[in-house]
Amino acid sequence: MKRHLRLAALAAAALCLFSTGCSEMTRRTVQQTAALEYRFYPVTDRLGAEPSDPMLLDRLSTSYDNMLAVRQEQFRSALMADLTEPLNLMPEDPVLPVSRFCPTAAVLMNSEAPAVNRNPVLVMRQVIAGLGETKVTEGETLRSEEKLPRAANPEGDYLSPARFITECLRKYYRDMSFQIGYSENEDLYYAYIFDACDPICVMSVYFRFGKDNRLEAVGFDSLIYDAYELTLATGGDFVPLKLDGDPAQLPPFRALREMALAMVGAKQTDLGGEATLARRDGSIVPLAVMVQQCRHETERQYYYAGEQRDDARLLAVRMMDWFIWEEREAAGTEPTA
């Protein structure tokens, strides 16, 4: 809230300059400076610098243009293919879009660029690895597993898996149109998502259905990247990626986790009445007597800038999560013959 108020004040100040009595040359110079101050305020604020420092603003503007050209070439090389799938773009902050001070966001939000033929998280890893002279190291992979109770037992008719996935994403993530892809080799439906928030989130969300059209698993392959990448090019004043607490608690991942816990186990059905589960021996067990839960498997990798671990500065985090539907019979319950 405070940042938005500050940005609004800077925007108002820049607008007021149009009505001053300065000479044309002075007015143009002041207007340009005010526009840069408003545009790069989030970066100067992170650096703890004066937002009106003309030398810093010039360096940021030049660095942005240079880095933008590099990013465009990196993505052009990484995404070159005949067949592409669209990237689902989340709307940016209307007060100050991240793409105005983050070259990577600018490339991905460009309407001509967001067509990818493979996991965009892998593309981002390739981009991070090519950050020029900055040495990027990948930290140790951390794995964990837990059992989680399911949040709901949804029922209903769905015209297709893609329609089902779209309804899930619209309900729990954002109410908008989504482009859904399908991999025959892996038998997975997927949605590629780019959320230009602070920090940036690049995600591949996977959906696996069983033979009975039940949603058996939801997976997220996600990379959280520092939107303040311009701090890499300001004379060594790089500021590490700021994460307040567990990165899984960021809004995009909270929404996807809620979706997984609610929707995993849902079954496409065209029959009314009580949902049932067929045993291998042919007997039928009502789902009401089953204890349903999710197995949550997660891996994390941390990316650092700097060769020395003691001097390492957090640059990005990759999270790989799977929510897998499980069931077992409740204790003391007799199955229906």
Side-chain angles (χ1 to χ4, degrees), residues 270-283:
D270 54 7
L271 299 175
E274 185 179 20
T276 60
L277 177 69
R279 286 175 173 273
R280 290 185 179 180
D281 62 7
S283 61

Side-chain angles (χ1 to χ4, degrees), residues 15-36:
L15 182 63
C16 288
L17 289 171
F18 283 95
S19 60
T20 62
C22 302
S23 66
E24 184 65 26
M25 178 64 70
T26 301
R27 184 184 303 121
R28 183 167 60 249
T29 301
V30 173
Q31 289 171 355
Q32 292 172 345
T33 300
L36 289 176

Side-chain angles (χ1 to χ4, degrees), residues 41 43-53 56:
Y41 171 73
V43 181
T44 57
D45 183 51
R46 280 284 297 272
L47 290 171
E50 288 294 329
S52 57
D53 182 348
L56 176 58

